[in-house]
Amino acid sequence: MQALAVNVGDLKKVMSNVKTRGILGEYQLENILEDLLTAEQYAKNVKTKEGSDDKVEFAVKMPASGDRDKPLRLPIDAKFPKEDYERLIIAYDEAVPDKIEICRKAFCRQYPQKCARHPGKALIVRKTETGLTSSVEKIPLAQIPVHDTLVKIEYSTLNYKDALAVSGKGKILREYPMIPGIDFAGTVEQTSSDKFKPGDRVILNGFGVGEKYWGGLSEYAYVNSDFLLKMPDGMDARKAMSIGTAGYTAALCVEELLSSGINNNSAPVVVTGATGGVGSFAIALLKQQNIVVSAVSGKAGASDYLKRLGASEIIPREQLMREAKPLETQRWGGAVDTLGGNALATILAECHSGATVTACGLAADFRLNTTVMPFILRESG
């Protein structure tokens, strides 16, 4: 009995491999068809849908009806979507209606065979007794938390949050294990949502992905379809992630400045963290609008780079890191700040009346020691 148990355990290990299970199933199905039908009654590796390159393993030729010239083909596939089935059973055990519905639709549709046969690689962060570990691993789809849309990821970007998540220096991750990556671009492989269909090109930024939901530093991701945007015409995944979350954030900041009335007649706009992703994009976007930009950086050798982007002057970061008075000499018509802390407090104290400040980061400090004076006396916002 002990030997039998060992053999059964070995067989279970073999059958847990999706590719092996598929090969065995295909072999057995072909034997069954050979026993029951003649060679003319079925075909192997058949395209059953016009305009599609997808093939089924076998198709049984059915008699044509009416005035059809071509015989009907009944597609038969040997593979059982074991992982989807197991997720469905778990959902029923947990008695979560929304999860049951998502898993049921996924089980009925089955995900593409290429995904099932080739588990994707991902950078995964785990919490251990001694701290955090991170490694690139093969992650079977069955292990990825289920949401209504499966995306084949082509590109992601490495953001400041991702660096904090992997290094453990910031309390970014809410769950473990976790795949970081707060953005990605790719193609929908499977969905139960009415908003998308397989083949749609999509982009994701934020929504807690890479923090509390498994993220973009992976080849595949299950995500909530509400988090996705259709990729604009003329853009591909590489271009989208060349812009990434940093460019998206910078664009939102610049849009807010422009909508508030910043123009080329205003005082300069100050951009902190200028060599970072948000800062660099913000400088370039402001320059396109003919707005004078003062770039703040702590990197001594960055002047040429920042001036090529469009900065008119380079300000050492130390000038803003001091403890500011409630009101300082007016300098700025607006700001894009990624530092927080004393830098943001100093900027607020130095803004002109009616200036707009967009604060989108806390690279220096999450605390803000300031007063209401700039908001009352200069109507900064």
Side-chain angles (χ1 to χ4, degrees):
M1 291 298 293
Q2 186 174 0
L4 177 61
V6 171
N7 291 336
V8 170
D10 290 341
L11 179 60
K12 184 176 180 181
K13 289 179 182 178
V14 170
M15 295 305 291
S16 66
N17 183 284
V18 176
K19 184 175 182 179
T20 302
R21 193 168 68 240
I23 292 171
L24 290 173
E26 185 175 344
Y27 178 76
Q28 292 297 324
L29 177 58
E30 187 169 11
N31 284 341
I32 293 171
L33 292 175
E34 284 182 354
D35 290 341
L36 296 177
L37 304 173
T38 65
E40 292 76 22
Q41 290 179 307
Y42 71 95
K44 188 175 181 179
N45 295 324
V46 180
K47 294 181 182 180
T48 59
K49 186 176 181 180
E50 292 184 7
S52 173
D53 291 329
D54 292 338
K55 296 180 180 179
V56 295
E57 290 163 353
F58 298 95
V60 176
K61 297 176 183 178
M62 306 293 289
S65 60
D67 56 355
R68 293 178 63 95
D69 296 329
K70 296 181 180 179
L72 295 174
R73 297 181 185 272
L74 176 65
I76 302 177
D77 195 280
K79 296 173 186 62
F80 179 77
K82 176 176 175 287
E83 288 78 10
D84 279 337
Y85 175 76
E86 289 174 346
R87 275 196 285 258
L88 179 59
I89 295 301
I90 291 171
Y92 274 114
D93 289 341
E94 293 174 351
V96 180
D98 290 343
K99 188 173 182 180
I100 290 171
E101 181 62 15
I102 291 171
C103 293
R104 186 190 66 78
K105 290 181 178 179
F107 174 69
C108 292
R109 292 188 180 198
Q110 302 185 31
Y111 49 73
Q113 291 179 14
K114 64 180 179 180
C115 296
R117 291 186 176 185
H118 302 286
K121 291 182 180 179
L123 176 65
I124 189 161
V125 179
R126 301 183 186 278
K127 191 173 186 179
T128 67
E129 293 181 356
T130 57
L132 299 184
T133 64
S134 58
S135 60
V136 176
E137 303 176 18
K138 285 187 176 181
I139 307 295
L141 288 180
Q143 293 183 15
I144 301 177
V146 175
H147 296 281
D148 65 7
T149 301
L150 175 65
V151 178
K152 173 71 171 70
I153 298 173
E154 297 171 42
Y155 287 92
S156 180
T157 59
L158 187 62
N159 292 278
Y160 183 66
K161 273 188 177 180
D162 302 322
L164 291 177
V166 173
S167 66
K169 292 183 178 179
K171 294 182 179 180
I172 300 298
L173 304 185
R174 319 282 180 84
E175 303 285 344
Y176 295 95
M178 177 59 64
I179 295 174
I182 64 173
D183 56 19
F184 63 73
T187 303
V188 173
E189 291 275 346
Q190 167 198 318
T191 183
S192 58
S193 169
D194 295 332
K195 300 176 183 177
F196 299 97
K197 63 182 184 301
D200 281 348
R201 310 278 284 167
V202 292
I203 301 171
L204 182 144
N205 286 293
F207 290 99
V209 171
E211 301 172 51
K212 56 182 178 179
Y213 308 113
W214 282 20
L217 298 182
S218 175
E219 292 187 73
Y220 292 95
Y222 274 110
V223 293
N224 187 327
S225 58
D226 291 338
F227 300 169
L228 297 172
L229 293 173
K230 286 191 177 180
M231 197 175 297
D233 293 338
M235 181 176 285
D236 58 25
R238 188 172 187 273
K239 288 180 180 178
M241 287 298 102
S242 294
I243 298 170
T245 298
Y248 178 65
T249 303
L252 291 176
C253 291
V254 172
E255 183 179 45
E256 184 63 30
L257 293 177
L258 294 175
S259 67
S260 70
I262 295 290
N263 56 54
N264 57 357
N265 295 319
S266 299
V269 170
V270 61
V271 177
T272 64
T275 59
V278 174
S280 295
F281 274 107
I283 292 170
L285 290 171
L286 290 166
K287 177 63 176 178
Q288 284 186 341
Q289 300 297 321
N290 296 317
I291 294 172
V292 178
V293 180
S294 296
V296 177
S297 176
K299 297 182 179 179
S303 294
D304 289 343
Y305 165 72
L306 294 173
K307 287 181 178 179
R308 286 199 303 271
L309 284 178
S312 298
E313 66 170 335
I314 314 301
I315 299 173
R317 184 172 56 194
E318 291 72 23
Q319 286 190 18
L320 298 184
M321 297 304 291
R322 58 188 170 81
E323 188 171 338
K325 299 175 183 177
L327 288 175
E328 300 270 358
T329 301
Q330 299 179 68
R331 300 177 69 183
W332 315 120
V336 177
D337 177 59
T338 65
L339 297 179
N342 282 350
L344 179 55
T346 301
I347 288 170
L348 291 172
E350 292 180 343
C351 276
H352 279 267
S353 178
T356 296
V357 176
T358 57
C360 59
L362 40 76
D365 202 334
F366 63 87
R367 291 163 293 194
L368 181 60
N369 183 21
T370 189
T371 72
V372 297
M373 298 295 282
F375 303 97
I376 294 175
L377 298 181
R378 291 180 181 168
E379 299 178 355
S380 298

